[in-house]
Amino acid sequence: MLDHVAEELSATAGWRRVLEAYATLAAGAVATPQSESSDASESPGWVPRLSQLDGVEPERLSALHGKLIALGLLSFEISGKLGMRYQLSPLGRRTLGRVDEFEEPSSDESADLPTNDSEDAELEAA
């Protein structure tokens, strides 16, 4: 894994929760049998965008999506029928398997850190 990815993740609170949530949702989607009426072009493992997640502020969730996509950990696609769908990229799956290598600030620690509004705005634009 690239050093800059590890650096970004270690400085970004909430990234692990987002990846784990998509991994859990994708596993449930794959385990659920597809109905006969579902579109054959639907790929297993793709799930709708998370709009809320316990432990992550809703306004921060959008920035986290952008950062994880920019780092190549989360993939997305636009489906005409289903809208935006997401899944972990192969790098995202490997990263979750190696979470001990990244120190994510705890929510208590991150509350004490100053926020960088310009970085958040840049991430939301991505």
Side-chain angles (χ1 to χ4, degrees):
M1 174 165 311
L2 300 173
D3 288 339
H4 79 278
V5 173
E7 289 175 23
E8 287 288 330
L9 292 179
S10 66
T12 306
W15 70 268
R16 188 180 316 166
R17 287 181 189 252
V18 174
L19 289 184
E20 287 173 344
Y22 278 110
T24 300
L25 289 170
V30 171
T32 304
Q34 299 290 322
S35 67
E36 291 179 20
S37 63
S38 69
D39 185 355
S41 67
E42 291 181 29
S43 303
W46 290 95
V47 295
R49 180 184 171 98
L50 290 171
S51 60
Q52 59 183 0
L53 184 60
D54 288 341
V56 178
E57 297 172 7
E59 57 275 4
R60 183 83 179 117
L61 192 55
S62 180
L64 285 169
H65 276 89
K67 180 167 271 196
L68 294 172
I69 290 167
L71 292 173
L73 303 175
L74 191 62
S75 300
F76 73 96
E77 72 175 14
I78 300 172
S79 169
K81 188 166 78 173
L82 301 172
M84 296 287 288
R85 299 189 309 169
Y86 293 78
Q87 72 175 3
L88 294 183
S89 69
L91 178 59
R93 286 190 292 277
R94 286 192 307 271
T95 301
L96 268 183
R98 300 168 53 188
V99 293
D100 294 337
E101 295 178 27
F102 310 101
E103 292 182 20
E104 180 176 348
S106 71
S107 58
D108 294 337
E109 292 173 3
S110 63
D112 295 336
L113 297 175
T115 59
N116 185 343
D117 292 334
S118 62
E119 179 181 308
D120 288 344
E122 181 180 326
L123 292 174
E124 288 179 13

